[in-house]
Amino acid sequence: MITSKIIAYGIIRAIVILVFTLLLLFFIFEIQTVIIYLIISLILTLIGNPIARFLRTKLKFPNTLATVFVLAFFVIIIAGFIMMFVPLIIAQSENLSVLKTSEIEENIRTLINQINAYLTRYQIDTDNLLKEANITSKINFNFIPNFLNSILELVSSFGVGLGSTLFITFFFLKDKKMFVAGIRKILPDSHEEKILHSLNKINDLLSRYFIGLLLQLFIVFVLYWIVLLIFGIENGFIIAFLCAILNIIPYIGPLIASVLAALLTMISHLGGDFQTEILPKTIYILIGFWVVQVIDNNFSQPIIFSKSTNSHPLEIFLVILIAGFLSGILGMIIAVPLYTMIKVIAKEFFPENKLIQMLTKDI
């Protein structure tokens, strides 16, 4: 029999759970920076695990020394990326310190006028359209100094974030056995082995995945750089690097990279004739980038991703596509790691399911 006391207890219990949930969400929101540090540290740990294992097993390094070497490797890579941008920053420091938004706006106007003149030669009347739309007057270039100030604030906090991330990564790598022992104590005995086996398998597959991702980005970076070198684009090394980083976003990232490369090519050649110099070089750059993307999409990316996660290339494509429809760009980025984790857990806990057997036969 349901009494008023039971009802009151149920209501109070529901309110307590709701309040606790809201407080937990608020707490997570407040420490989101720390959570980001933990996620980055976990990714670095997954990448560094194979290196540390090689140093411990093949070269007989002590655990702590192997961990220090891995962190030193990460620091060298990060320092290399930073130093790569130093020449560009030095070259542009004077312009950035006295940034003239009117000059930038004038350059954009010049480019638009050159495009308009070129289209007019082929009887495409864009003059009235541009005047009616008045596009350039609607673009406020004053956001650029504010954007640069935001970048400076980000750079100023980069040191704290880098130090915190490397500190966390050090203990993730060094005290892996201690963390496993701690997990054993809190896991239910009936599922302990399954969970630990799943974690080990996930660690192995994701380590291979992130290393494969770095390899894929490096291949794309080199190919982009070659294309830009062939056509003599200034700062091609940095442009290639930025465009390669965009490839982290599957399928959409390369398109953004092509647009970025085309815009930078046109802006860097504003002094030349649009029809005989700017347009042909931009088209050649786009063709070169599309060739790189064909190579990446059909060869390097499917082979590297499918081999690193033991999944069929079509399977990877469909997973990324579905994740993109469900969660946008973020979903596309995390689709493969998340899908790999789900497959491993499903195989461990539902080994008799025929669909799971088919999807996880290579794991």
Side-chain angles (χ1 to χ4, degrees):
M1 180 178 178
I2 300 177
T3 63
S4 59
K5 184 177 180 180
I6 296 175
I7 295 174
Y9 174 77
I11 294 174
I12 293 173
R13 185 170 179 271
I15 293 174
V16 170
I17 293 174
L18 179 61
V19 170
F20 178 78
T21 303
L22 291 175
L23 288 174
L24 180 62
L25 292 175
F26 176 76
F27 177 72
I28 293 173
F29 176 78
E30 288 294 315
I31 64 166
Q32 57 182 308
T33 303
V34 177
I35 294 175
I36 292 173
Y37 291 165
L38 288 171
I39 293 173
I40 295 174
S41 298
L42 181 59
I43 293 174
L44 290 177
T45 302
L46 291 171
I47 296 172
N49 267 330
I51 304 174
R53 190 184 308 120
F54 173 81
L55 293 174
R56 288 193 299 265
T57 57
K58 301 296 184 181
L59 302 182
K60 306 302 179 182
F61 277 32
N63 184 43
T64 302
L65 185 60
T67 303
V68 170
F69 264 75
V70 172
L71 288 184
F73 172 74
F74 287 149
V75 170
I76 291 172
I77 296 297
I78 294 170
F81 285 151
I82 294 174
M83 293 303 295
M84 182 177 67
F85 288 96
V86 167
L88 180 65
I89 294 172
I90 293 175
Q92 299 297 330
S93 58
E94 295 182 1
N95 292 334
L96 293 176
S97 61
V98 289
L99 188 64
K100 299 178 180 179
T101 56
S102 59
E103 185 176 333
I104 296 174
E105 185 175 356
E106 183 61 31
N107 288 337
I108 300 297
R109 289 180 188 274
T110 301
L111 179 61
I112 292 175
N113 289 334
Q114 288 182 338
I115 295 174
N116 180 41
Y118 173 75
L119 294 176
T120 301
R121 293 177 190 174
Y122 294 91
Q123 299 180 346
I124 301 175
D125 186 11
T126 58
D127 189 53
N128 291 330
L129 181 62
L130 288 174
K131 287 181 180 179
E132 292 176 5
N134 201 13
I135 295 173
T136 54
S137 65
K138 294 178 181 179
I139 302 176
N140 182 11
F141 291 91
N142 293 322
F143 79 93
I144 297 178
N146 295 331
F147 173 74
L148 290 173
N149 289 332
S150 300
I151 294 296
L152 291 175
E153 291 177 4
L154 180 64
V155 171
S156 65
S157 63
F158 176 76
V160 176
L162 178 61
S164 302
T165 300
L166 292 176
F167 185 78
I168 297 170
T169 304
F170 174 80
F171 287 103
F172 277 179
L173 287 168
K174 176 178 174 292
D175 298 327
K176 179 181 176 181
K177 292 183 178 179
M178 185 186 72
F179 290 130
V180 172
I183 292 173
R184 281 184 179 275
K185 294 179 180 179
I186 62 176
L187 292 178
D189 294 337
S190 57
H191 298 297
E192 180 180 315
E193 291 303 321
K194 289 183 178 180
I195 294 175
L196 289 176
H197 186 267
S198 297
L199 290 176
N200 288 331
K201 192 65 180 179
I202 289 171
N203 175 71
D204 179 57
L205 289 175
L206 290 188
S207 294
R208 290 162 54 186
Y209 168 75
F210 284 115
I211 292 174
L213 179 62
L214 291 178
L215 177 61
Q216 183 243 347
L217 294 182
F218 177 75
I219 292 172
V220 170
F221 159 70
V222 171
L223 294 176
Y224 280 161
W225 190 22
I226 291 173
V227 171
L228 295 172
L229 281 176
I230 290 173
F231 297 105
I233 303 301
E234 294 182 5
N235 300 315
F237 188 87
I238 296 174
I239 295 173
F241 174 76
L242 294 175
C243 292
I245 292 298
L246 288 170
N247 271 52
I248 292 176
I249 308 172
Y251 307 114
I252 295 178
L255 295 178
I256 300 175
S258 297
V259 174
L260 175 63
L263 288 175
L264 292 174
T265 300
M266 287 191 291
I267 291 174
S268 63
H269 292 79
L270 279 178
D273 181 72
F274 181 79
Q275 183 174 358
T276 60
E277 184 178 348
I278 298 177
L279 183 60
K281 185 162 288 192
T282 303
I283 292 175
Y284 295 149
I285 292 295
L286 285 174
I287 292 174
F289 270 50
W290 288 336
V291 170
V292 173
Q293 290 160 21
V294 168
I295 295 172
D296 180 54
N297 291 334
N298 292 279
F299 296 99
S300 59
Q301 188 180 93
I303 292 174
I304 292 172
F305 283 8
S306 61
K307 293 295 182 182
S308 61
T309 61
N310 291 335
S311 299
H312 193 277
L314 179 59
E315 189 179 350
I316 296 294
F317 173 78
L318 292 175
V319 166
I320 293 174
L321 193 63
I322 293 170
F325 281 118
L326 293 177
S327 303
I329 291 177
L330 179 61
M332 297 177 75
I333 294 174
I334 67 172
V336 176
L338 184 60
Y339 177 65
T340 302
M341 295 171 63
I342 292 173
K343 282 178 64 175
V344 171
I345 295 172
K347 181 176 183 177
E348 198 64 41
F349 285 89
F350 306 101
E352 304 300 326
N353 186 283
K354 292 184 178 180
L355 177 61
I356 292 175
Q357 288 177 356
M358 181 180 67
L359 292 176
T360 61
K361 62 181 180 179
D362 296 324
I363 295 181

